[in-house]
Amino acid sequence: MSKLAFVTGGSRGIGRGVVYSLARSGYRVAFSYNSSSRESEYIVKELSQLGVEVVAVKMSIESRHSVRHAIAKIVSELGKIDILVNNAGIAQEKPFNTITDDDWDIMQAINLRGPFSMVQELMPHMVKQKWGRIINISSIGGQWGGFNQVHYAAAKAALINFTQSIAKIYSQNGVTSNAIAPGLIATDMS
């Protein structure tokens, strides 16, 4: 049986491209969406017609309860998750002096705490099977800083460091952790 990859935020943009790429490469694919139910249904229908085992699950990555519920649904329908692609995220362009505490908190909750929760929930299984792959989608903004997205850049920089820390801790258990830091990509978000 082929490995199962779970892509958070897989109904649009970069995540959607990752879902299709994994499916074309022979993986079974699960993906989450937050508000794009119509797009998700289309992806599931199209990939199922091509013989791909696929499931979409509604999830709010900033909620640990929602993360646990999504993982349980995926595991019950397709089995253990071998590969995690932490892609779900938000962006917000605002000058630094107009960023509110709420803006900061939601940016960190979705772009940093969400991936943390996902990894923490899936790691015990990956360690037990002595194999797992974690790919965190960061941003070039996390390397260079952000002019009108200071809170976004800070979350993505922390995600890069989180990725490195997880690699140091769990590589000895056969679990790799890598970050990809794309620049501007022509998607809905940008």
Side-chain angles (χ1 to χ4, degrees):
M1 182 181 299
S2 63
K3 301 228 180 275
L4 173 60
F6 179 23
V7 181
T8 67
S11 63
R12 299 180 358 210
I14 293 171
R16 184 178 184 145
V18 172
V19 165
Y20 278 92
S21 180
L22 288 165
R24 282 191 302 270
S25 297
Y27 292 94
R28 296 176 301 128
V29 182
F31 67 94
S32 70
Y33 65 93
N34 189 350
S35 59
S36 305
S37 60
R38 180 170 290 161
E39 292 91 341
S40 298
E41 290 169 10
Y42 174 80
I43 294 167
V44 168
K45 181 179 178 184
E46 185 174 59
L47 291 179
S48 294
Q49 289 173 346
L50 297 173
V52 177
E53 286 185 75
V54 59
V55 65
V57 60
K58 183 170 176 53
M59 182 180 82
S60 298
I61 197 163
E62 71 276 18
S63 162
R64 179 75 70 139
H65 174 76
S66 183
V67 164
R68 286 179 177 154
H69 178 75
I71 290 170
K73 181 175 189 287
I74 292 164
V75 169
S76 73
E77 291 190 29
L78 294 180
K80 63 185 175 61
I81 298 167
D82 303 294
I83 301 162
L84 169 64
V85 181
N86 270 318
N87 170 72
I90 60 169
Q92 180 187 45
E93 288 207 27
K94 278 185 112 170
F96 174 70
N97 62 344
T98 66
I99 297 170
T100 66
D101 289 349
D102 286 341
D103 293 334
W104 182 273
D105 290 345
I106 193 66
M107 187 67 64
Q108 305 311 308
I110 292 173
N111 289 359
L112 182 58
R113 194 180 72 227
F116 158 74
S117 298
M118 292 297 308
V119 170
Q120 202 172 52
E121 291 296 322
L122 292 175
M123 189 58 74
H125 167 74
M126 291 180 175
V127 167
K128 183 178 178 183
Q129 71 178 12
K130 298 183 185 328
W131 197 94
R133 299 293 179 259
I134 297 164
I135 300 122
N136 292 320
I137 307 299
S138 182
S139 168
I140 195 125
Q143 296 172 324
W144 292 358
F147 186 76
N148 277 327
Q149 295 193 46
V150 171
H151 51 333
Y152 172 84
K156 292 299 188 172
L159 183 60
I160 291 169
N161 191 278
F162 171 70
T163 303
Q164 293 169 329
S165 298
I166 293 303
K168 286 180 181 179
I169 297 167
Y170 292 104
S171 62
Q172 66 187 357
N173 300 103
V175 180
T176 65
S177 177
N178 292 280
I180 298 171
L184 272 178
I185 308 284
T187 65
D188 301 7
M189 195 163 93
S190 61

